[in-house]
Amino acid sequence: MTDASTNMRLKLPITCFILEIIIIILFGVLVQYDEGTDAKLWHDRNHSSHSDYDNDFYYRYPSFQDVHVMIFIGFGFLMTFLQRYGFSSVGFNFLIAAFALQWATLMQGFFHGMHGGKIHIGVESMINADFCTGSVLISFGAVLGKTSPVQLLLMAIFEVTLFAVNEFIVLSVLGAKDAGGSMTIHTFGAYFGLIVARVLYRPNLDKSKHRNSSVYHSDLFAMIGTLYLWMFWPSFNSAITAHGDDQHRTAMNTYYSLAACTLSSYAMSALTAHDGKLDMVHIQNAALAGGVAAGTAGEMMLTPFGSMIVGFVAGIISVLGFKYLSPVLESKLKIQDTCGVHNLHGMPGILAASFKCLLVSVCVTSGFILKLPIFGAPPDTICFEDSIYWEVPEEETGHGNQLTTVRTEETEKLSS
Amino acid sequence: MTDASTNMRLKLPITCFILEIIIIILFGVLVQYDEGTDAKLWHDRNHSSHSDYDNDFYYRYPSFQDVHVMIFIGFGFLMTFLQRYGFSSVGFNFLIAAFALQWATLMQGFFHGMHGGKIHIGVESMINADFCTGSVLISFGAVLGKTSPVQLLLMAIFEVTLFAVNEFIVLSVLGAKDAGGSMTIHTFGAYFGLIVARVLYRPNLDKSKHRNSSVYHSDLFAMIGTLYLWMFWPSFNSAITAHGDDQHRTAMNTYYSLAACTLSSYAMSALTAHDGKLDMVHIQNAALAGGVAAGTAGEMMLTPFGSMIVGFVAGIISVLGFKYLSPVLESKLKIQDTCGVHNLHGMPGILAASFKCLLVSVCVTSGFILKLPIFGAPPDTICFEDSIYWEVPEEETGHGNQLTTVRTEETEKLSS
Amino acid sequence: MTDASTNMRLKLPITCFILEIIIIILFGVLVQYDEGTDAKLWHDRNHSSHSDYDNDFYYRYPSFQDVHVMIFIGFGFLMTFLQRYGFSSVGFNFLIAAFALQWATLMQGFFHGMHGGKIHIGVESMINADFCTGSVLISFGAVLGKTSPVQLLLMAIFEVTLFAVNEFIVLSVLGAKDAGGSMTIHTFGAYFGLIVARVLYRPNLDKSKHRNSSVYHSDLFAMIGTLYLWMFWPSFNSAITAHGDDQHRTAMNTYYSLAACTLSSYAMSALTAHDGKLDMVHIQNAALAGGVAAGTAGEMMLTPFGSMIVGFVAGIISVLGFKYLSPVLESKLKIQDTCGVHNLHGMPGILAASFKCLLVSVCVTSGFILKLPIFGAPPDTICFEDSIYWEVPEEETGHGNQLTTVRTEETEKLSS
């Protein structure tokens, strides 16, 4: 499966090299250690009253690592549910996340206060960069299987930049509180992705329909992603809240919101799915909606009681979205949302916020730029297929052919 | 594979909704933030001498997250070794854990001291709730493949309640020390599960025998579970010990106990298994027995020397149990212990304690209630099969059939 | 697939039991708790000015657990890429790591200062033991698929001992700084493994060539290993640096080095691989080179700018090594480096150091001892095959038989 238009031999290396060199130069010019990471600043400050054990590293880094696992393992494996798109799900997730966190360091530093013309970085900026990256990966979920890595890198440039602007408006200008980033991360990422998916609408996508589904072991790989997102969501929501009771409370509220959400997701899945059987898509996604929903208010004295109600409702809404809203989105609004990010990140996030409208036009622009034919997007006939961009072991291609043969026979039977 | 008696369309949603609504109401009435999570209490207390960095969150939360990973990834994936029961292993583990941790918060709060009629919660109660959940998941291992999700939720209600009573008796009334919960968690969970398995004995289970085994990749998935349990067991045993040297020492003792146990498990596996080859079942389970065995005394000045002897012996006993005791348990005592929890959690735990007898009658009662035909248990012919409760991707069913076809042909060849 | 020479029934148990019993005796005689883990020492010291919250456990244990995950999940799953060697990759990794960390505690304690004839242990010695274990696992990567577990345990004995000597020379005698262990861990482990692989050279290894490749899902399992190594490398490099700004800075430098390395690895992979498609081998390995390269200087005021340049170059070198150097190593130098550890750990580490030459002769000796025919190494025809040392589920053997059938035909053709 090779085609001149999807060939990445020059497009991907050139894009990566140019972006990375620009980033390195900007880091050289603009970026400095903050007082927690700079030897001189830390020891000057330390001289007076602080000990080395007071370094913020010890109070943020474990949360940072949990968030980091969510970004690379959580999002990466959540998307491996597709039968022939596992390399791309994990591998493109890896690439665009590694890029986005660097670009986010620059954009967030630029918009959230330079110090004497310099961006100061430490563990807190690393968490913020990972958060912004999360937003890009949510959008990736909406366009999964239909985009080339070059398109994804471009999308990341636009989205990270816009994310920093949006975050600045929501948090600094409007003064809103959004500890777990329901508004700035999830809702933003979901609707950005949906708008891009709309602009990239493919009327003939059903030609790739047989690949847009899971196989047994691909669903188990996806559960690795789901569970890491679920387990570490308390760390995500509490990672940059104020130290002390705030951080403690946020983590606990999220823990109970997720637990309640899991029960309502399973209930709704059995209720709505075929023959009363549970649907892996619901379990992999809806059970996480409680984390999104608890994101904005998690820091407050919400009480576990309040958190559980929020999570309970989020699970119900999310399953209903997968069941009834996603087909409508595709047929009426022409939005092909591969991972159903609208149901996991969009609606649960919207429970908390709706400041996004003014940014829509910019998103549309991004989508149209991505649509230019020069970025090597796959044709409709071979979406959701690793072998366009990856070397796939040979016997598997054979296996794929077998599957195709079986399916072709079935198709012939149906059409005869 | 659909059948009216195993159909979950109404049974599962009704059970989940009722349970979750009861829990939410009880949380609303009974549960409050503790002084580490309550804004007012913390800042009042803080006023005097404490800083925000003294919040127990920073000294317990990393251990909590390790335990959390053991509960959802460790136990969940450990049980994915069955060839056609991966969705259920991970998925039911997820469901009953999410339920059990909420119910445990209430039951443990109720038995371990109310404060002015209220249950106070924070990171320590979250760890305790996860511990109690671990006990339920151990029991799940014994009945794996033979129970419906509704039965499992019922089992969790009984077991969590009894767990809190047992914990109260062992720790408060008898005043025993049990940092890593060998007695309260592992031995209790194992024997509870075994008694339930005994009551649910299925004389015709060999009809599902061909499903009660692993395939190549299912064993690799199970190793993810094994390794997370193994790596984080030091955190499990030390998560709620006293701060300072106690917590430090407990983690280290467990680390060395597990290392010694791993060597003796591999040795015994090669010695007892077919042709001197290692058996994945032993590696996946026996290598963990050192963690259970070091649980009770881990906090004490056991010395690494003592820990390693305990772990070394536990590994030997556990492999011998899998090899020689499990078949006897099934044929003589009619206990069909799917995961061999007796060998991993039961016997190593019994090395430390035997306070469980007085609770046996209650367990038997639980088992008989679970046996009522209304909960949708699978028939003997289709145990260990995901497609009863899950939507399984279509081509996999085909793939399964192909395999079966091949096997049937082979069998015919052999018998002709 | 059973053969008297590879039969482990007695060889493996005897080796494990003897080694473990020796270790337990030596621990009994030589090892004591340090002041952070000993109840008496800690409380004596504590009496004066320290609180229980000052115990080093709280400032090292989260990093230790990240390193622990890298050792058991990271290295273990990184090597599961081979189609029929997953049990051995994860399982032998588990066995030799559990052994090596115990032996390393003794050897490092012995060479790095006894206290009154005793080795004092705590969380810092646990991290150091895991580091030394990492070195053994790197060497394992070079000989993967071609060695028996008994050979691997022997290799671990030699390598751990030599590692402690080398570490003593580099850090204590030469006084070099090497926070992340580029020199002492990665370069040492890589070249030790390469020399052993050279001595164990198999001229007829192409008989096992069809097994020395991946299948679709085995590559996804390997990505679990890659991502955990990538995510936790900042913890690896910072785990034993000085507290405060040093630890904070090291983690952050590594984070940016890895991000830059990922982009250059993807770029080089698309540029050099077939048809501009990405090669999983490069992604799984080269993207990690930035962690190795940032290991030595990461503690210093390298600046993120400097770290990113180092990572960027490391990614390029590593992919070029896989593409152009590995074939030369095999054809000219007769080094069959299964995992390409030279490209991931060797060259990136050599960027930082070249103190290894004087140790070469000792490594050669180790290799020759391993080559003795008594340790049950697999014959050339069945390298990279689990079923020599593991019970493999039956239907998979069926699958294997199919493969074997094809292969048998090939063999017949060859022999006729």
Side-chain angles (χ1 to χ4, degrees), chain B residues 214-216 228 231 235 243-245 247-249 253 255-256 266 273-274 277-278 301 303 308, chain C residues 1 9 33 37 39 43 55 58 61 65 86 91 102 105 123 130 228 386-387 389 391 393 395:
Chain B
S214 62
V215 291
Y216 196 73
Y228 272 102
M231 295 183 301
S235 306
H243 286 306
D245 61 302
Q247 200 167 359
H248 196 162
R249 186 168 55 246
N253 287 341
Y255 171 82
Y256 285 111
Y266 272 77
H274 180 67
K277 293 183 184 185
L278 296 160
M301 288 290 290
T303 75
M308 289 159 95
Chain C
M1 293 200 194
R9 163 147 293 172
Y33 290 123
T37 44
H43 288 287
N55 196 295
Y58 302 106
Y61 188 72
Q65 274 298 3
Q102 300 177 71
T105 305
V123 68
D130 267 30
Y228 273 101
D386 270 334
S387 66
Y389 304 119
E391 296 268 11
E395 87 283 24

Short mmCIF file of all heavy atoms in Angstrom, two decimals, chain B residues 214-216 228 231 235 243-245 247-249 253 255-256 266 273-274 277-278 301 303 308, chain C residues 1 9 33 37 39 43 55 58 61 65 86 91 102 105 123 130 228 386-387 389 391 393 395:
data_model
loop_
_atom_site.label_atom_id
_atom_site.label_comp_id
_atom_site.label_asym_id
_atom_site.label_seq_id
_atom_site.Cartn_x
_atom_site.Cartn_y
_atom_site.Cartn_z
N SER B 214 -5.20 -20.83 28.24
CA SER B 214 -4.71 -19.58 27.68
C SER B 214 -4.35 -19.72 26.19
O SER B 214 -4.29 -20.82 25.66
CB SER B 214 -3.46 -19.14 28.43
OG SER B 214 -2.44 -20.11 28.29
N VAL B 215 -4.15 -18.60 25.52
CA VAL B 215 -3.49 -18.58 24.22
C VAL B 215 -2.25 -17.70 24.35
O VAL B 215 -2.07 -17.02 25.37
CB VAL B 215 -4.40 -18.05 23.08
CG1 VAL B 215 -5.52 -19.04 22.80
CG2 VAL B 215 -4.93 -16.68 23.40
N TYR B 216 -1.42 -17.70 23.33
CA TYR B 216 -0.12 -17.04 23.44
C TYR B 216 -0.21 -15.59 23.91
O TYR B 216 0.38 -15.22 24.93
CB TYR B 216 0.60 -17.11 22.09
CG TYR B 216 2.07 -16.82 22.16
CD1 TYR B 216 2.94 -17.74 22.72
CD2 TYR B 216 2.60 -15.61 21.70
CE1 TYR B 216 4.29 -17.48 22.81
CE2 TYR B 216 3.95 -15.35 21.78
CZ TYR B 216 4.80 -16.28 22.33
OH TYR B 216 6.13 -16.01 22.41
N TYR B 228 2.85 -5.60 37.32
CA TYR B 228 2.42 -4.44 38.11
C TYR B 228 2.15 -4.83 39.56
O TYR B 228 2.46 -4.05 40.47
CB TYR B 228 1.21 -3.74 37.49
CG TYR B 228 1.67 -2.72 36.50
CD1 TYR B 228 1.63 -2.97 35.14
CD2 TYR B 228 2.24 -1.53 36.93
CE1 TYR B 228 2.11 -2.05 34.23
CE2 TYR B 228 2.73 -0.61 36.03
CZ TYR B 228 2.66 -0.87 34.69
OH TYR B 228 3.16 0.04 33.81
N MET B 231 5.76 -5.27 41.06
CA MET B 231 6.54 -4.04 41.25
C MET B 231 5.98 -3.16 42.36
O MET B 231 6.73 -2.52 43.09
CB MET B 231 6.54 -3.23 39.95
CG MET B 231 7.24 -3.91 38.79
SD MET B 231 7.30 -2.88 37.31
CE MET B 231 5.55 -2.59 36.98
N SER B 235 4.72 -0.93 47.72
CA SER B 235 3.84 0.20 48.05
C SER B 235 2.58 -0.28 48.76
O SER B 235 2.06 0.38 49.66
CB SER B 235 3.43 0.95 46.79
OG SER B 235 4.56 1.35 46.05
N HIS B 243 4.42 6.71 59.36
CA HIS B 243 5.39 7.46 58.57
C HIS B 243 6.80 7.27 59.12
O HIS B 243 6.99 6.95 60.29
CB HIS B 243 5.04 8.95 58.58
CG HIS B 243 3.86 9.27 57.71
ND1 HIS B 243 3.78 8.91 56.39
CD2 HIS B 243 2.70 9.92 57.97
CE1 HIS B 243 2.65 9.32 55.87
NE2 HIS B 243 1.95 9.93 56.81
N GLY B 244 7.79 7.53 58.27
CA GLY B 244 9.19 7.47 58.70
C GLY B 244 9.79 6.12 58.42
O GLY B 244 9.53 5.50 57.39
N ASP B 245 10.61 5.62 59.35
CA ASP B 245 11.34 4.38 59.13
C ASP B 245 10.41 3.18 58.90
O ASP B 245 10.76 2.27 58.16
CB ASP B 245 12.27 4.09 60.31
CG ASP B 245 11.50 3.93 61.61
OD1 ASP B 245 10.79 4.87 62.00
OD2 ASP B 245 11.59 2.85 62.23
N GLN B 247 7.51 2.92 57.25
CA GLN B 247 7.07 2.83 55.86
C GLN B 247 8.25 2.45 54.96
O GLN B 247 8.12 1.59 54.07
CB GLN B 247 6.48 4.19 55.44
CG GLN B 247 5.58 4.10 54.24
CD GLN B 247 4.75 5.37 54.02
OE1 GLN B 247 4.83 6.33 54.78
NE2 GLN B 247 3.95 5.36 52.96
N HIS B 248 9.37 3.08 55.22
CA HIS B 248 10.59 2.83 54.45
C HIS B 248 11.00 1.35 54.56
O HIS B 248 11.27 0.68 53.56
CB HIS B 248 11.69 3.73 55.02
CG HIS B 248 12.89 3.91 54.15
ND1 HIS B 248 13.76 4.94 54.32
CD2 HIS B 248 13.38 3.19 53.11
CE1 HIS B 248 14.74 4.85 53.44
NE2 HIS B 248 14.53 3.81 52.69
N ARG B 249 11.00 0.83 55.78
CA ARG B 249 11.45 -0.54 56.04
C ARG B 249 10.50 -1.57 55.43
O ARG B 249 10.92 -2.57 54.85
CB ARG B 249 11.56 -0.76 57.55
CG ARG B 249 12.15 -2.08 57.94
CD ARG B 249 12.48 -2.10 59.43
NE ARG B 249 11.33 -1.75 60.26
CZ ARG B 249 11.24 -0.65 60.99
NH1 ARG B 249 12.22 0.23 61.05
NH2 ARG B 249 10.16 -0.41 61.71
N ASN B 253 11.62 -4.44 52.87
CA ASN B 253 11.46 -5.87 53.19
C ASN B 253 10.67 -6.59 52.10
O ASN B 253 11.02 -7.71 51.70
CB ASN B 253 10.75 -6.04 54.54
CG ASN B 253 11.65 -5.70 55.72
OD1 ASN B 253 12.88 -5.67 55.59
ND2 ASN B 253 11.05 -5.43 56.85
N TYR B 255 10.33 -5.73 48.96
CA TYR B 255 11.15 -5.77 47.74
C TYR B 255 12.06 -7.00 47.75
O TYR B 255 12.12 -7.74 46.78
CB TYR B 255 11.94 -4.47 47.72
CG TYR B 255 13.05 -4.24 46.72
CD1 TYR B 255 12.78 -3.82 45.42
CD2 TYR B 255 14.40 -4.35 47.10
CE1 TYR B 255 13.81 -3.53 44.54
CE2 TYR B 255 15.43 -4.05 46.22
CZ TYR B 255 15.14 -3.64 44.93
OH TYR B 255 16.16 -3.34 44.06
N TYR B 256 12.72 -7.27 48.86
CA TYR B 256 13.63 -8.41 48.90
C TYR B 256 12.88 -9.74 49.02
O TYR B 256 13.32 -10.76 48.48
CB TYR B 256 14.66 -8.25 50.01
CG TYR B 256 15.72 -7.24 49.64
CD1 TYR B 256 15.81 -6.01 50.27
CD2 TYR B 256 16.60 -7.51 48.60
CE1 TYR B 256 16.76 -5.09 49.90
CE2 TYR B 256 17.56 -6.58 48.22
CZ TYR B 256 17.64 -5.38 48.87
OH TYR B 256 18.58 -4.45 48.48
N TYR B 266 10.66 -19.79 39.94
CA TYR B 266 11.19 -20.28 38.67
C TYR B 266 11.82 -21.66 38.86
O TYR B 266 11.63 -22.56 38.03
CB TYR B 266 12.24 -19.31 38.11
CG TYR B 266 11.66 -18.21 37.25
CD1 TYR B 266 11.01 -17.13 37.81
CD2 TYR B 266 11.74 -18.25 35.86
CE1 TYR B 266 10.48 -16.11 37.03
CE2 TYR B 266 11.22 -17.24 35.06
CZ TYR B 266 10.59 -16.17 35.66
OH TYR B 266 10.05 -15.17 34.88
N ALA B 273 7.30 -28.86 36.30
CA ALA B 273 6.47 -28.82 35.09
C ALA B 273 6.99 -29.78 34.04
O ALA B 273 8.09 -30.32 34.14
CB ALA B 273 6.39 -27.40 34.54
N HIS B 274 6.21 -29.97 33.03
CA HIS B 274 6.45 -30.89 31.93
C HIS B 274 7.80 -30.64 31.25
O HIS B 274 8.09 -29.54 30.81
CB HIS B 274 5.30 -30.69 30.94
CG HIS B 274 5.39 -31.55 29.74
ND1 HIS B 274 5.25 -32.92 29.80
CD2 HIS B 274 5.59 -31.25 28.43
CE1 HIS B 274 5.37 -33.43 28.59
NE2 HIS B 274 5.56 -32.43 27.74
N LYS B 277 10.18 -27.47 31.42
CA LYS B 277 9.85 -26.16 30.88
C LYS B 277 9.08 -25.34 31.92
O LYS B 277 8.32 -25.90 32.72
CB LYS B 277 9.01 -26.31 29.62
CG LYS B 277 9.79 -26.94 28.49
CD LYS B 277 8.97 -27.01 27.24
CE LYS B 277 9.77 -27.76 26.17
NZ LYS B 277 9.07 -27.77 24.88
N LEU B 278 9.27 -24.04 31.85
CA LEU B 278 8.59 -23.15 32.78
C LEU B 278 7.10 -23.07 32.45
O LEU B 278 6.73 -23.03 31.28
CB LEU B 278 9.21 -21.76 32.71
CG LEU B 278 10.68 -21.73 33.15
CD1 LEU B 278 11.36 -20.49 32.61
CD2 LEU B 278 10.75 -21.76 34.67
N MET B 301 11.07 -5.23 62.47
CA MET B 301 12.50 -5.29 62.19
C MET B 301 12.86 -6.71 61.73
O MET B 301 13.73 -7.38 62.28
CB MET B 301 13.30 -4.91 63.43
CG MET B 301 13.24 -3.43 63.77
SD MET B 301 14.14 -2.40 62.58
CE MET B 301 15.82 -2.88 62.99
N THR B 303 14.35 -7.72 59.20
CA THR B 303 15.61 -7.74 58.43
C THR B 303 15.37 -8.28 57.02
O THR B 303 14.49 -9.11 56.81
CB THR B 303 16.75 -8.59 59.07
OG1 THR B 303 16.48 -9.98 58.87
CG2 THR B 303 16.95 -8.28 60.54
N MET B 308 13.70 -12.43 53.02
CA MET B 308 14.06 -13.28 51.89
C MET B 308 13.76 -14.75 52.19
O MET B 308 13.36 -15.49 51.29
CB MET B 308 15.53 -13.10 51.53
CG MET B 308 15.77 -11.74 50.90
SD MET B 308 17.48 -11.23 51.00
CE MET B 308 18.06 -11.81 49.42
N MET C 1 9.22 -29.28 21.00
CA MET C 1 10.60 -28.83 20.91
C MET C 1 11.32 -29.07 22.22
O MET C 1 11.40 -28.21 23.09
CB MET C 1 10.63 -27.33 20.62
CG MET C 1 10.10 -27.01 19.24
SD MET C 1 10.65 -25.44 18.71
CE MET C 1 9.57 -25.18 17.31
N ARG C 9 15.17 -28.97 33.45
CA ARG C 9 14.57 -29.57 34.64
C ARG C 9 15.48 -29.52 35.86
O ARG C 9 15.04 -29.18 36.95
CB ARG C 9 14.14 -31.02 34.36
CG ARG C 9 13.89 -31.82 35.64
CD ARG C 9 12.82 -32.85 35.50
NE ARG C 9 11.53 -32.25 35.30
CZ ARG C 9 10.44 -32.94 34.99
NH1 ARG C 9 10.50 -34.24 34.85
NH2 ARG C 9 9.28 -32.34 34.82
N TYR C 33 19.98 -2.68 58.09
CA TYR C 33 19.21 -1.49 57.75
C TYR C 33 20.10 -0.26 57.88
O TYR C 33 20.97 -0.21 58.74
CB TYR C 33 18.03 -1.34 58.72
CG TYR C 33 16.95 -2.37 58.54
CD1 TYR C 33 16.55 -3.19 59.60
CD2 TYR C 33 16.29 -2.52 57.32
CE1 TYR C 33 15.55 -4.12 59.46
CE2 TYR C 33 15.28 -3.46 57.18
CZ TYR C 33 14.91 -4.26 58.24
OH TYR C 33 13.91 -5.17 58.10
N THR C 37 15.98 3.22 57.57
CA THR C 37 15.10 2.05 57.66
C THR C 37 15.19 1.35 59.01
O THR C 37 14.36 0.51 59.32
CB THR C 37 15.44 1.03 56.55
OG1 THR C 37 16.86 0.87 56.46
CG2 THR C 37 14.91 1.47 55.21
N ALA C 39 14.74 1.10 62.91
CA ALA C 39 13.87 1.77 63.90
C ALA C 39 14.69 2.51 64.95
O ALA C 39 14.41 3.67 65.28
CB ALA C 39 12.96 0.74 64.57
N HIS C 43 15.10 6.70 65.09
CA HIS C 43 14.47 7.45 66.18
C HIS C 43 15.51 8.14 67.07
O HIS C 43 15.25 9.20 67.60
CB HIS C 43 13.51 6.56 66.97
CG HIS C 43 12.29 6.26 66.16
ND1 HIS C 43 11.31 7.20 65.93
CD2 HIS C 43 11.90 5.16 65.48
CE1 HIS C 43 10.37 6.69 65.16
NE2 HIS C 43 10.70 5.44 64.86
N ASN C 55 12.19 11.57 56.38
CA ASN C 55 12.79 10.32 55.92
C ASN C 55 12.99 10.34 54.41
O ASN C 55 12.09 10.75 53.66
CB ASN C 55 11.89 9.14 56.33
CG ASN C 55 12.60 7.82 56.23
OD1 ASN C 55 12.98 7.40 55.15
ND2 ASN C 55 12.83 7.17 57.37
N TYR C 58 10.43 9.57 51.33
CA TYR C 58 9.46 10.44 50.66
C TYR C 58 10.08 11.22 49.51
O TYR C 58 9.37 11.76 48.67
CB TYR C 58 8.82 11.39 51.68
CG TYR C 58 8.15 10.59 52.77
CD1 TYR C 58 8.71 10.49 54.04
CD2 TYR C 58 7.01 9.84 52.49
CE1 TYR C 58 8.13 9.70 55.01
CE2 TYR C 58 6.44 9.03 53.45
CZ TYR C 58 7.00 8.96 54.70
OH TYR C 58 6.44 8.16 55.64
N TYR C 61 11.43 7.52 46.95
CA TYR C 61 10.64 6.34 46.61
C TYR C 61 9.81 6.50 45.32
O TYR C 61 9.77 5.56 44.52
CB TYR C 61 9.74 5.94 47.79
CG TYR C 61 9.04 4.62 47.59
CD1 TYR C 61 9.74 3.41 47.65
CD2 TYR C 61 7.67 4.57 47.31
CE1 TYR C 61 9.10 2.20 47.45
CE2 TYR C 61 7.03 3.35 47.12
CZ TYR C 61 7.74 2.18 47.19
OH TYR C 61 7.11 0.98 46.99
N GLN C 65 10.17 3.91 42.21
CA GLN C 65 9.12 3.12 41.57
C GLN C 65 9.08 3.34 40.06
O GLN C 65 8.82 2.40 39.30
CB GLN C 65 7.75 3.40 42.21
CG GLN C 65 7.46 2.56 43.45
CD GLN C 65 7.41 1.06 43.18
OE1 GLN C 65 7.64 0.59 42.07
NE2 GLN C 65 7.11 0.28 44.20
N GLY C 86 7.98 -13.94 23.24
CA GLY C 86 7.41 -13.03 24.23
C GLY C 86 7.50 -13.55 25.64
O GLY C 86 7.82 -12.80 26.58
N GLY C 91 9.68 -13.05 30.65
CA GLY C 91 9.92 -13.98 31.75
C GLY C 91 11.37 -14.08 32.16
O GLY C 91 11.68 -14.12 33.36
N GLN C 102 19.41 -8.42 43.79
CA GLN C 102 19.93 -8.92 45.06
C GLN C 102 21.45 -8.98 45.05
O GLN C 102 22.12 -8.56 46.00
CB GLN C 102 19.37 -10.34 45.34
CG GLN C 102 17.86 -10.39 45.43
CD GLN C 102 17.37 -11.82 45.64
OE1 GLN C 102 17.53 -12.41 46.70
NE2 GLN C 102 16.77 -12.40 44.62
N THR C 105 22.97 -5.54 45.26
CA THR C 105 22.98 -4.98 46.62
C THR C 105 24.27 -5.39 47.33
O THR C 105 24.91 -4.57 48.01
CB THR C 105 21.77 -5.50 47.42
OG1 THR C 105 20.58 -5.20 46.69
CG2 THR C 105 21.70 -4.85 48.78
N VAL C 123 16.43 3.06 50.58
CA VAL C 123 15.87 3.33 49.26
C VAL C 123 16.94 3.70 48.24
O VAL C 123 16.84 3.36 47.06
CB VAL C 123 14.75 4.42 49.34
CG1 VAL C 123 15.31 5.77 49.70
CG2 VAL C 123 13.97 4.47 48.04
N ASP C 130 18.73 -1.37 41.23
CA ASP C 130 17.94 -1.39 40.00
C ASP C 130 18.75 -0.86 38.82
O ASP C 130 18.62 -1.36 37.70
CB ASP C 130 16.66 -0.56 40.18
CG ASP C 130 15.47 -1.40 40.65
OD1 ASP C 130 15.70 -2.41 41.35
OD2 ASP C 130 14.32 -1.07 40.31
N TYR C 228 7.06 3.24 28.40
CA TYR C 228 7.42 3.35 29.82
C TYR C 228 8.86 3.78 30.00
O TYR C 228 9.17 4.57 30.91
CB TYR C 228 7.11 2.07 30.58
CG TYR C 228 5.70 2.09 31.07
CD1 TYR C 228 4.70 1.39 30.42
CD2 TYR C 228 5.34 2.89 32.14
CE1 TYR C 228 3.39 1.46 30.83
CE2 TYR C 228 4.03 2.98 32.56
CZ TYR C 228 3.06 2.25 31.91
OH TYR C 228 1.77 2.35 32.31
N ASP C 386 9.96 -19.63 22.03
CA ASP C 386 9.56 -19.82 23.41
C ASP C 386 9.47 -21.28 23.83
O ASP C 386 9.75 -21.63 24.96
CB ASP C 386 8.17 -19.20 23.65
CG ASP C 386 8.27 -17.76 24.08
OD1 ASP C 386 9.30 -17.38 24.65
OD2 ASP C 386 7.31 -17.02 23.84
N SER C 387 9.05 -22.15 22.90
CA SER C 387 8.65 -23.47 23.35
C SER C 387 9.81 -24.33 23.83
O SER C 387 9.61 -25.42 24.34
CB SER C 387 7.86 -24.20 22.26
OG SER C 387 8.69 -24.46 21.18
N TYR C 389 11.81 -23.33 26.30
CA TYR C 389 11.88 -23.15 27.74
C TYR C 389 10.53 -22.91 28.40
O TYR C 389 10.44 -22.80 29.61
CB TYR C 389 12.81 -21.98 28.09
CG TYR C 389 14.21 -22.11 27.52
CD1 TYR C 389 14.71 -21.17 26.62
CD2 TYR C 389 15.02 -23.19 27.87
CE1 TYR C 389 15.98 -21.30 26.09
CE2 TYR C 389 16.30 -23.32 27.34
CZ TYR C 389 16.78 -22.37 26.46
OH TYR C 389 18.02 -22.50 25.94
N GLU C 391 6.13 -23.72 28.50
CA GLU C 391 4.93 -24.40 28.05
C GLU C 391 4.13 -23.41 27.22
O GLU C 391 3.70 -22.38 27.74
CB GLU C 391 4.06 -24.80 29.26
CG GLU C 391 4.68 -25.80 30.20
CD GLU C 391 4.32 -27.22 29.83
OE1 GLU C 391 3.76 -27.42 28.74
OE2 GLU C 391 4.62 -28.11 30.63
N PRO C 393 0.68 -22.59 25.07
CA PRO C 393 -0.67 -23.14 24.93
C PRO C 393 -0.82 -23.94 23.65
O PRO C 393 -0.27 -23.58 22.61
CB PRO C 393 -1.56 -21.89 24.87
CG PRO C 393 -0.78 -20.84 25.54
CD PRO C 393 0.67 -21.14 25.31
N GLU C 395 -3.12 -24.72 21.18
CA GLU C 395 -3.53 -24.34 19.82
C GLU C 395 -2.48 -23.45 19.18
O GLU C 395 -2.36 -23.39 17.98
CB GLU C 395 -4.89 -23.65 19.82
CG GLU C 395 -4.85 -22.17 20.06
CD GLU C 395 -4.62 -21.91 21.53
OE1 GLU C 395 -4.06 -22.78 22.23
OE2 GLU C 395 -4.99 -20.84 21.99
#
